[in-house]
Amino acid sequence: LRKHAKDKREHVYELSDFESADTHDELWNAAQKELVATGRIHNYLRMLWAKKVLEWSATPAEAYRVLEHLNNKYALDGRDPN
């Protein structure tokens, strides 16, 4: 991740864009809306969801903060210690 932290990114979104499912990618937006509505995303789609946040964030550290926030706020298991 450090090696690619300064790579140019075609799209960079803020937390509010991710949270409101306001990206250019309809599939990602659908996954985020599903997470908000049901607390879950299918496992295969969840991997894509997380990878795209990494791709569309200014830095890997920012992507981690966004993913942690979205997971903890919306996922049914987000704050479950198990």
Side-chain angles (χ1 to χ4, degrees):
L1 290 175
R2 276 186 242 122
K3 180 179 177 183
H4 294 284
K6 294 185 184 203
D7 288 356
K8 184 165 176 57
R9 288 160 170 77
E10 185 175 352
H11 302 281
V12 176
Y13 296 105
E14 301 294 326
L15 173 60
S16 60
D17 299 318
F18 288 119
E19 199 158 14
S20 63
D22 190 20
T23 75
H24 71 283
D25 188 296
E26 292 182 27
L27 181 59
W28 193 94
N29 294 341
Q32 176 61 19
K33 289 175 184 175
E34 182 72 10
L35 177 63
V36 171
T38 67
R40 312 188 59 244
I41 301 174
H42 186 278
N43 282 339
Y44 291 128
L45 193 51
R46 190 174 179 123
M47 288 185 281
L48 170 95
W49 173 82
K51 287 178 182 181
K52 289 300 180 180
V53 172
L54 178 60
E55 181 181 334
W56 299 333
S57 295
T59 66
E62 178 63 22
Y64 181 83
R65 286 190 291 276
V66 167
L67 289 165
E68 183 178 43
H69 171 81
L70 295 175
N71 187 68
N72 287 349
K73 184 171 182 179
Y74 296 109
L76 292 175
D77 63 351
R79 285 163 278 173
D80 183 353
N82 291 322

